[in-house]
Coordinates of all heavy atoms in Angstrom, one line a residue:
M376 N 40.7 123.4 179.3 CA 41.9 123.9 180.1 C 42.7 122.7 180.4 O 42.3 121.7 181.0 CB 41.4 124.5 181.4 CG 42.5 124.8 182.3 SD 42.0 125.6 183.9 CE 41.3 124.2 184.7
T377 N 44.0 122.7 180.0 CA 45.0 121.7 180.3 C 45.7 122.0 181.6 O 46.0 123.2 181.8 CB 46.0 121.6 179.1 OG1 45.3 121.4 177.9 CG2 47.0 120.5 179.4
V378 N 45.9 121.0 182.3 CA 46.7 121.2 183.6 C 48.2 121.0 183.3 O 48.6 120.1 182.6 CB 46.2 120.1 184.6 CG1 47.1 120.2 185.9 CG2 44.7 120.3 185.0
V379 N 49.0 121.9 183.8 CA 50.4 121.9 183.6 C 51.0 121.0 184.7 O 50.7 121.3 185.9 CB 51.0 123.3 183.7 CG1 52.5 123.3 183.6 CG2 50.4 124.2 182.6
T380 N 51.8 120.1 184.4 CA 52.5 119.2 185.3 C 53.8 119.8 185.7 O 54.7 120.1 184.9 CB 52.7 117.8 184.7 OG1 51.5 117.3 184.4 CG2 53.4 116.9 185.8
V381 N 54.0 120.0 187.1 CA 55.3 120.5 187.6 C 55.8 119.4 188.5 O 55.2 119.0 189.4 CB 55.0 121.8 188.4 CG1 56.3 122.3 189.0 CG2 54.4 122.8 187.5
E382 N 57.1 119.0 188.2 CA 57.8 118.0 189.1 C 58.9 118.7 189.7 O 59.8 119.3 189.0 CB 58.3 116.8 188.2 CG 57.2 116.0 187.6 CD 57.7 115.0 186.7 OE1 58.2 115.4 185.6 OE2 57.7 113.8 187.0
V383 N 59.0 118.6 191.0 CA 60.1 119.2 191.8 C 60.9 118.0 192.3 O 60.5 117.2 193.1 CB 59.6 120.1 193.0 CG1 60.8 120.7 193.7 CG2 58.6 121.1 192.5
F384 N 62.1 117.9 191.8 CA 63.0 116.8 192.2 C 63.8 117.2 193.4 O 64.5 118.2 193.4 CB 64.0 116.4 191.0 CG 63.3 115.8 189.9 CD1 62.7 116.6 188.9 CD2 63.1 114.5 189.8 CE1 62.0 116.1 187.8 CE2 62.4 113.9 188.7 CZ 61.9 114.7 187.7
V385 N 63.7 116.4 194.4 CA 64.3 116.7 195.8 C 65.0 115.4 196.3 O 64.9 114.3 195.8 CB 63.2 117.1 196.8 CG1 62.5 118.3 196.3 CG2 62.2 115.9 197.0
S386 N 65.8 115.7 197.3 CA 66.5 114.6 198.0 C 66.7 115.0 199.5 O 66.6 116.2 199.8 CB 67.9 114.3 197.4 OG 68.7 115.5 197.5
N387 N 66.8 114.0 200.3 CA 67.0 114.2 201.7 C 68.2 115.0 202.1 O 68.3 115.7 203.1 CB 67.0 112.9 202.5 CG 65.6 112.2 202.5 OD1 64.6 112.9 202.3 ND2 65.6 110.9 202.6
F388 N 69.3 114.9 201.3 CA 70.5 115.6 201.6 C 70.7 116.9 200.9 O 71.7 117.5 201.0 CB 71.7 114.7 201.2 CG 71.6 114.1 199.7 CD1 72.0 114.9 198.7 CD2 71.0 112.9 199.5 CE1 71.8 114.4 197.4 CE2 70.9 112.4 198.2 CZ 71.3 113.2 197.2
C389 N 69.6 117.5 200.4 CA 69.6 118.7 199.7 C 69.2 119.9 200.6 O 68.1 119.9 201.1 CB 68.7 118.6 198.5 SG 68.3 120.2 197.7
E390 N 70.0 120.8 200.7 CA 69.7 122.0 201.6 C 68.7 122.9 201.0 O 67.9 123.5 201.7 CB 71.0 122.8 201.9 CG 72.0 122.0 202.8 CD 73.2 122.8 203.1 OE1 73.2 124.0 203.0 OE2 74.3 122.2 203.4
N391 N 68.7 123.1 199.7 CA 67.8 124.0 199.0 C 66.4 123.4 198.6 O 65.6 124.1 198.1 CB 68.4 124.7 197.8 CG 69.3 125.8 198.2 OD1 69.0 126.6 199.1 ND2 70.4 126.0 197.5
C392 N 66.3 122.1 198.8 CA 65.0 121.4 198.4 C 63.8 122.0 199.1 O 62.7 122.1 198.5 CB 65.2 119.9 198.5 SG 66.3 119.2 197.2
A393 N 63.9 122.2 200.4 CA 62.8 122.8 201.1 C 62.4 124.1 200.6 O 61.2 124.5 200.5 CB 63.1 122.8 202.6
N394 N 63.4 124.9 200.2 CA 63.1 126.2 199.7 C 62.5 126.1 198.3 O 61.6 126.9 197.9 CB 64.4 127.0 199.5 CG 65.0 127.4 200.9 OD1 64.3 127.5 201.9 ND2 66.3 127.6 200.9
A395 N 62.9 125.1 197.5 CA 62.3 124.9 196.2 C 60.8 124.5 196.3 O 60.0 125.0 195.6 CB 63.0 123.8 195.4
R396 N 60.5 123.7 197.3 CA 59.1 123.3 197.5 C 58.3 124.5 197.9 O 57.2 124.7 197.3 CB 59.0 122.3 198.7 CG 59.5 120.9 198.4 CD 59.4 120.1 199.7 NE 60.1 118.8 199.5 CZ 59.4 117.6 199.5 NH1 58.1 117.6 199.7 NH2 60.1 116.5 199.4
L397 N 58.8 125.3 198.8 CA 58.0 126.5 199.2 C 57.8 127.5 198.1 O 56.7 128.0 197.9 CB 58.8 127.1 200.4 CG 58.2 128.4 201.0 CD1 56.8 128.1 201.6 CD2 59.1 129.0 202.0
M398 N 58.9 127.7 197.3 CA 58.8 128.6 196.2 C 57.8 128.2 195.1 O 57.0 129.0 194.7 CB 60.2 128.8 195.6 CG 60.2 129.9 194.5 SD 61.8 130.1 193.6 CE 62.8 130.6 195.0
V399 N 57.9 126.9 194.8 CA 56.9 126.4 193.8 C 55.5 126.6 194.3 O 54.6 127.1 193.6 CB 57.2 124.9 193.4 CG1 56.1 124.3 192.7 CG2 58.5 124.8 192.6
D400 N 55.2 126.2 195.5 CA 53.9 126.4 196.1 C 53.4 127.8 196.1 O 52.3 128.1 195.7 CB 53.8 125.8 197.5 CG 53.9 124.3 197.6 OD1 53.7 123.6 196.6 OD2 54.2 123.8 198.7
Q401 N 54.3 128.7 196.5 CA 54.0 130.1 196.5 C 53.7 130.7 195.1 O 52.7 131.4 194.9 CB 55.1 130.9 197.1 CG 55.2 130.8 198.6 CD 56.4 131.5 199.2 OE1 57.4 131.8 198.5 NE2 56.4 131.7 200.5
E402 N 54.5 130.4 194.1 CA 54.4 130.9 192.8 C 53.1 130.3 192.1 O 52.4 131.1 191.4 CB 55.6 130.7 191.9 CG 56.8 131.5 192.5 CD 56.6 132.9 192.8 OE1 55.9 133.6 192.0 OE2 57.1 133.4 193.8
I403 N 52.8 129.1 192.3 CA 51.6 128.5 191.8 C 50.4 129.1 192.4 O 49.4 129.4 191.7 CB 51.6 127.0 191.9 CG1 52.6 126.4 190.9 CG2 50.3 126.4 191.8 CD1 52.9 124.9 190.9
S404 N 50.4 129.4 193.7 CA 49.3 130.1 194.4 C 49.1 131.5 193.8 O 47.9 131.9 193.8 CB 49.6 130.2 195.9 OG 49.6 128.9 196.5
R405 N 50.1 132.1 193.4 CA 50.0 133.5 192.9 C 49.3 133.4 191.5 O 48.8 134.4 191.0 CB 51.3 134.2 192.8 CG 51.9 134.6 194.1 CD 53.2 135.4 194.0 NE 53.6 135.8 195.3 CZ 54.7 135.5 195.9 NH1 55.6 134.8 195.2 NH2 55.0 135.9 197.1
L406 N 49.5 132.3 190.8 CA 48.9 132.2 189.5 C 47.5 131.6 189.5 O 46.5 132.3 189.6 CB 49.8 131.4 188.6 CG 51.2 132.0 188.3 CD1 52.1 131.0 187.6 CD2 51.0 133.2 187.4
D407 N 47.4 130.3 189.6 CA 46.1 129.6 189.7 C 46.3 128.2 190.0 O 46.7 127.4 189.1 CB 45.3 129.8 188.4 CG 44.0 129.1 188.4 OD1 43.6 128.5 189.4 OD2 43.2 129.3 187.4
K408 N 46.1 127.8 191.2 CA 46.4 126.4 191.7 C 45.7 125.4 190.8 O 46.2 124.3 190.6 CB 46.0 126.2 193.1 CG 46.9 126.8 194.1 CD 46.4 126.5 195.5 CE 47.3 127.1 196.5 NZ 46.9 126.7 197.9
T409 N 44.5 125.7 190.3 CA 43.7 124.7 189.5 C 44.4 124.4 188.2 O 44.0 123.4 187.5 CB 42.3 125.2 189.3 OG1 42.3 126.4 188.4 CG2 41.6 125.5 190.6
R410 N 45.3 125.2 187.7 CA 46.0 125.0 186.4 C 47.2 124.1 186.5 O 47.8 123.8 185.5 CB 46.4 126.3 185.8 CG 45.3 127.3 185.7 CD 44.3 126.9 184.6 NE 44.9 126.7 183.3 CZ 45.0 127.7 182.3 NH1 44.6 128.9 182.6 NH2 45.5 127.4 181.2
F411 N 47.6 123.7 187.8 CA 48.8 122.9 187.9 C 48.6 121.6 188.7 O 47.8 121.6 189.6 CB 49.9 123.8 188.7 CG 50.2 125.0 188.0 CD1 49.6 126.2 188.2 CD2 51.3 125.0 187.0 CE1 49.9 127.4 187.5 CE2 51.6 126.2 186.3 CZ 51.0 127.4 186.6
D412 N 49.4 120.6 188.3 CA 49.5 119.4 189.1 C 51.0 119.3 189.5 O 51.8 119.1 188.7 CB 49.1 118.2 188.2 CG 49.3 116.9 189.0 OD1 49.2 116.9 190.2 OD2 49.5 115.9 188.3
V413 N 51.2 119.5 190.8 CA 52.6 119.5 191.3 C 52.9 118.2 192.1 O 52.0 117.7 192.9 CB 52.7 120.7 192.3 CG1 54.2 120.7 192.9 CG2 52.4 122.0 191.7
C414 N 54.0 117.6 191.8 CA 54.4 116.5 192.5 C 55.9 116.6 192.9 O 56.7 117.3 192.2 CB 54.2 115.2 191.8 SG 55.1 115.0 190.3
Y415 N 56.2 116.1 194.0 CA 57.6 116.2 194.6 C 58.2 114.8 194.4 O 57.7 113.8 194.9 CB 57.6 116.7 196.0 CG 57.0 118.0 196.1 CD1 55.6 118.2 196.4 CD2 57.7 119.1 195.8 CE1 55.0 119.5 196.4 CE2 57.1 120.4 195.8 CZ 55.8 120.6 196.1 OH 55.2 121.8 196.1
V416 N 59.3 114.7 193.7 CA 59.9 113.5 193.3 C 61.2 113.3 194.0 O 62.1 114.1 193.9 CB 60.1 113.4 191.8 CG1 60.8 112.1 191.3 CG2 58.9 113.7 191.0
D417 N 61.3 112.2 194.8 CA 62.5 111.9 195.5 C 63.4 111.2 194.5 O 63.1 110.1 193.9 CB 62.2 110.9 196.7 CG 63.4 110.6 197.5 OD1 64.5 110.4 196.9 OD2 63.3 110.5 198.7
V418 N 64.5 111.8 194.2 CA 65.4 111.3 193.2 C 66.0 109.9 193.5 O 66.3 109.1 192.6 CB 66.6 112.3 192.8 CG1 66.1 113.5 192.2 CG2 67.5 112.5 194.0
V419 N 66.1 109.6 194.8 CA 66.6 108.3 195.1 C 65.5 107.2 194.8 O 65.9 106.2 194.3 CB 67.0 108.3 196.6 CG1 67.3 106.8 197.1 CG2 68.1 109.2 196.9
E420 N 64.3 107.5 195.0 CA 63.2 106.6 194.8 C 62.9 106.5 193.3 O 62.5 105.4 192.8 CB 61.9 107.0 195.5 CG 62.1 106.8 197.0 CD 60.8 107.3 197.8 OE1 59.8 107.6 197.1 OE2 60.9 107.4 199.0
R421 N 63.1 107.5 192.5 CA 62.7 107.5 191.1 C 63.9 108.0 190.2 O 63.8 108.8 189.4 CB 61.6 108.5 190.9 CG 60.4 108.1 191.7 CD 59.0 108.1 191.1 NE 58.9 108.0 189.7 CZ 58.2 108.8 188.9 NH1 57.6 109.8 189.4 NH2 58.1 108.6 187.6
I422 N 65.1 107.3 190.5 CA 66.3 107.7 189.8 C 66.2 107.6 188.3 O 66.7 108.4 187.6 CB 67.5 106.9 190.4 CG1 68.8 107.5 189.9 CG2 67.4 105.4 190.1 CD1 69.2 108.8 190.4
D423 N 65.5 106.5 187.8 CA 65.4 106.3 186.4 C 64.7 107.5 185.7 O 65.1 107.9 184.6 CB 64.8 105.0 186.1 CG 65.6 103.8 186.4 OD1 66.9 103.9 186.6 OD2 65.1 102.7 186.6
H424 N 63.6 107.9 186.3 CA 62.8 109.0 185.8 C 63.7 110.3 185.8 O 63.7 111.1 184.8 CB 61.5 109.2 186.6 CG 60.7 110.3 186.1 ND1 60.2 110.4 184.8 CD2 60.2 111.4 186.8 CE1 59.5 111.5 184.7 NE2 59.5 112.1 185.9
A425 N 64.4 110.5 186.9 CA 65.2 111.7 187.1 C 66.3 111.8 186.0 O 66.5 112.8 185.3 CB 65.8 111.8 188.5
V426 N 67.0 110.7 185.8 CA 68.0 110.6 184.8 C 67.5 110.8 183.4 O 68.1 111.4 182.6 CB 68.8 109.2 185.0 CG1 69.8 109.0 183.8 CG2 69.6 109.2 186.3
A427 N 66.3 110.2 183.1 CA 65.7 110.3 181.8 C 65.4 111.8 181.5 O 65.5 112.2 180.3 CB 64.4 109.5 181.7
L428 N 65.1 112.6 182.5 CA 64.9 114.0 182.2 C 66.2 114.8 182.3 O 66.1 116.0 181.9 CB 63.9 114.6 183.3 CG 62.5 114.1 183.1 CD1 61.6 114.7 184.3 CD2 61.9 114.5 181.8
G429 N 67.3 114.3 182.7 CA 68.5 115.0 182.7 C 68.8 115.6 184.1 O 69.7 116.5 184.2
V430 N 68.1 115.2 185.1 CA 68.4 115.7 186.5 C 69.7 115.2 187.0 O 69.9 114.0 187.1 CB 67.2 115.3 187.4 CG1 67.6 115.8 188.8 CG2 65.9 115.9 187.0
L431 N 70.6 116.1 187.3 CA 71.9 115.7 187.8 C 72.2 116.2 189.2 O 73.1 115.8 189.8 CB 73.1 116.2 186.8 CG 73.0 115.6 185.4 CD1 74.1 116.3 184.6 CD2 73.1 114.1 185.4
A432 N 71.3 117.1 189.6 CA 71.5 117.7 191.0 C 70.1 118.1 191.5 O 69.2 118.2 190.7 CB 72.4 118.9 190.9
T433 N 70.0 118.3 192.8 CA 68.7 118.7 193.3 C 68.9 120.1 194.0 O 70.1 120.3 194.5 CB 68.2 117.7 194.3 OG1 69.1 117.4 195.3 CG2 67.7 116.4 193.6
P434 N 67.9 120.9 194.1 CA 66.6 120.7 193.5 C 66.7 120.9 192.0 O 67.6 121.5 191.5 CB 65.8 121.8 194.2 CG 66.7 122.9 194.4 CD 68.0 122.2 194.8
A435 N 65.7 120.3 191.3 CA 65.5 120.5 189.9 C 64.0 120.6 189.7 O 63.2 120.0 190.4 CB 66.1 119.4 189.1
I436 N 63.6 121.3 188.6 CA 62.2 121.5 188.4 C 61.9 121.2 186.9 O 62.6 121.8 186.0 CB 61.7 122.9 188.7 CG1 62.0 123.2 190.2 CG2 60.2 123.2 188.4 CD1 61.8 124.7 190.6
A437 N 61.0 120.3 186.7 CA 60.5 120.0 185.3 C 59.1 120.5 185.1 O 58.3 120.4 186.1 CB 60.6 118.5 185.1
I438 N 58.8 121.0 184.0 CA 57.5 121.5 183.6 C 57.0 120.7 182.4 O 57.7 120.8 181.4 CB 57.4 123.0 183.4 CG1 57.9 123.7 184.7 CG2 56.0 123.5 183.1 CD1 58.0 125.2 184.5
D439 N 55.9 120.1 182.5 CA 55.4 119.3 181.4 C 56.4 118.3 180.8 O 56.5 118.2 179.6 CB 54.7 120.2 180.3 CG 53.4 120.7 180.7 OD1 52.7 120.1 181.6 OD2 52.9 121.7 180.2
G440 N 57.1 117.7 181.7 CA 58.0 116.6 181.2 C 59.4 117.1 180.7 O 60.2 116.3 180.2
K441 N 59.7 118.4 180.8 CA 61.0 118.9 180.4 C 61.7 119.6 181.5 O 61.1 120.4 182.2 CB 60.8 119.9 179.2 CG 60.2 119.2 178.0 CD 60.1 120.2 176.9 CE 59.5 119.4 175.7 NZ 59.2 120.3 174.6
L442 N 62.9 119.2 181.7 CA 63.7 119.9 182.8 C 63.9 121.3 182.4 O 64.4 121.7 181.4 CB 65.1 119.2 182.9 CG 66.0 119.6 184.0 CD1 65.4 119.4 185.4 CD2 67.3 118.9 183.9
V443 N 63.5 122.2 183.3 CA 63.5 123.7 183.1 C 64.6 124.3 184.0 O 65.3 125.2 183.6 CB 62.2 124.3 183.3 CG1 62.2 125.8 183.1 CG2 61.1 123.7 182.4
F444 N 64.7 123.9 185.2 CA 65.6 124.5 186.2 C 66.4 123.4 186.9 O 65.8 122.4 187.4 CB 64.9 125.3 187.2 CG 64.1 126.4 186.7 CD1 62.7 126.4 186.6 CD2 64.7 127.6 186.2 CE1 62.0 127.4 186.1 CE2 64.0 128.6 185.7 CZ 62.6 128.5 185.7
T445 N 67.7 123.6 187.0 CA 68.5 122.8 187.9 C 69.1 123.8 188.9 O 69.7 124.8 188.5 CB 69.7 122.1 187.1 OG1 69.2 121.3 186.2 CG2 70.6 121.3 188.1
G446 N 68.8 123.6 190.2 CA 69.1 124.5 191.2 C 67.9 125.4 191.5 O 66.8 125.2 190.9
L447 N 68.0 126.3 192.4 CA 66.9 127.1 192.8 C 66.8 128.4 192.0 O 67.7 129.2 192.1 CB 67.1 127.4 194.3 CG 65.9 128.1 195.0 CD1 64.7 127.2 195.0 CD2 66.3 128.4 196.5
P448 N 65.8 128.5 191.2 CA 65.7 129.8 190.4 C 65.2 130.9 191.2 O 64.6 130.7 192.3 CB 64.6 129.4 189.3 CG 63.8 128.4 190.0 CD 64.7 127.6 190.9
A449 N 65.3 132.1 190.7 CA 64.7 133.3 191.4 C 63.2 133.1 191.2 O 62.7 132.6 190.3 CB 65.2 134.6 190.7
A450 N 62.5 133.6 192.2 CA 61.0 133.5 192.2 C 60.4 134.1 191.0 O 59.5 133.5 190.4 CB 60.5 134.2 193.5
A451 N 60.9 135.3 190.5 CA 60.3 135.9 189.4 C 60.5 135.1 188.1 O 59.7 135.0 187.2 CB 60.9 137.3 189.2
V452 N 61.7 134.4 188.0 CA 62.0 133.6 186.9 C 61.1 132.3 186.8 O 60.6 131.9 185.8 CB 63.5 133.2 186.9 CG1 63.8 132.2 185.8 CG2 64.4 134.4 186.8
L453 N 60.9 131.7 188.0 CA 60.0 130.6 188.1 C 58.6 131.0 187.7 O 57.9 130.3 187.0 CB 60.1 130.0 189.5 CG 59.1 128.8 189.8 CD1 59.3 127.7 188.9 CD2 59.2 128.4 191.3
Q454 N 58.1 132.1 188.3 CA 56.8 132.5 188.0 C 56.6 132.8 186.5 O 55.6 132.4 185.9 CB 56.4 133.8 188.8 CG 54.9 134.1 188.6 CD 54.6 135.4 189.4 OE1 55.3 136.3 189.5 NE2 53.4 135.3 190.0
A455 N 57.6 133.4 185.9 CA 57.5 133.6 184.4 C 57.4 132.3 183.6 O 56.6 132.2 182.7 CB 58.7 134.5 184.0
A456 N 58.2 131.3 184.0 CA 58.1 130.0 183.3 C 56.8 129.4 183.5 O 56.2 128.8 182.5 CB 59.3 129.2 183.8
L457 N 56.3 129.4 184.7 CA 54.9 128.8 185.0 C 53.9 129.5 184.2 O 53.0 128.9 183.6 CB 54.6 128.8 186.4 CG 55.6 128.0 187.3 CD1 55.3 128.2 188.8 CD2 55.4 126.5 187.0
A458 N 53.9 130.9 184.2 CA 52.9 131.7 183.5 C 53.0 131.4 182.0 O 51.9 131.4 181.3 CB 53.1 133.2 183.8
E459 N 54.2 131.3 181.5 CA 54.3 131.0 180.0 C 53.6 129.7 179.7 O 53.0 129.6 178.6 CB 55.8 130.9 179.7 CG 56.1 130.6 178.3 CD 57.6 130.5 178.0 OE1 58.4 131.3 178.6 OE2 58.0 129.6 177.3
H460 N 53.7 128.7 180.5 CA 53.0 127.4 180.2 C 51.5 127.5 180.2 O 50.8 126.9 179.4 CB 53.5 126.3 181.1 CG 54.8 125.7 180.7 ND1 56.0 126.4 180.9 CD2 55.1 124.6 180.0 CE1 57.0 125.6 180.4 NE2 56.5 124.6 179.8
I461 N 51.0 128.4 181.1 CA 49.6 128.6 181.1 C 49.2 129.4 179.9 O 48.2 129.1 179.2 CB 49.1 129.4 182.4 CG1 49.3 128.6 183.6 CG2 47.7 129.9 182.2 CD1 49.0 129.4 184.9
A462 N 50.0 130.4 179.5 CA 49.6 131.2 178.3 C 49.6 130.4 177.0 O 48.8 130.6 176.2 CB 50.6 132.4 178.2
V463 N 50.6 129.5 176.9 CA 50.6 128.6 175.7 C 49.3 127.8 175.6 O 48.8 127.6 174.6 CB 51.9 127.7 175.8 CG1 51.8 126.6 174.8 CG2 53.1 128.5 175.6
D464 N 48.9 127.3 176.8 CA 47.6 126.5 176.8 C 46.4 127.4 176.4 O 45.5 126.9 175.8 CB 47.4 125.9 178.2 CG 46.2 125.1 178.3 OD1 46.0 124.2 177.4 OD2 45.4 125.3 179.2
D465 N 46.4 128.6 176.8 CA 45.3 129.5 176.6 C 45.1 129.9 175.1 O 44.1 130.4 174.7 CB 45.3 130.7 177.5 CG 45.0 130.4 178.9 OD1 44.5 129.3 179.2 OD2 45.4 131.2 179.8
Q466 N 46.2 129.7 174.3 CA 46.1 130.2 172.9 C 45.3 129.2 172.1 O 45.1 128.1 172.3 CB 47.5 130.3 172.4 CG 48.3 131.4 173.1 CD 49.7 131.5 172.6 OE1 50.2 130.8 171.7 NE2 50.4 132.5 173.1

């Protein structure tokens, strides 16, 4: 079983970043917490990494090293993206 890496890019001046953190935690809990490694990345502290992935605004969510969402996605859309990464690993 491979663990899916989820990076949530946040900043102190971002109004939706707290919502993004909460949503990611909730959707991962609905799937299987043991299948995910979640980290919250402060774009100011890790600007080079954020830019390398194409993060231009916060919140942003990368899954397995690829930028998947810029902005706050709908919960169902996030859950589908996370579930897809688990399904790919299960094949």
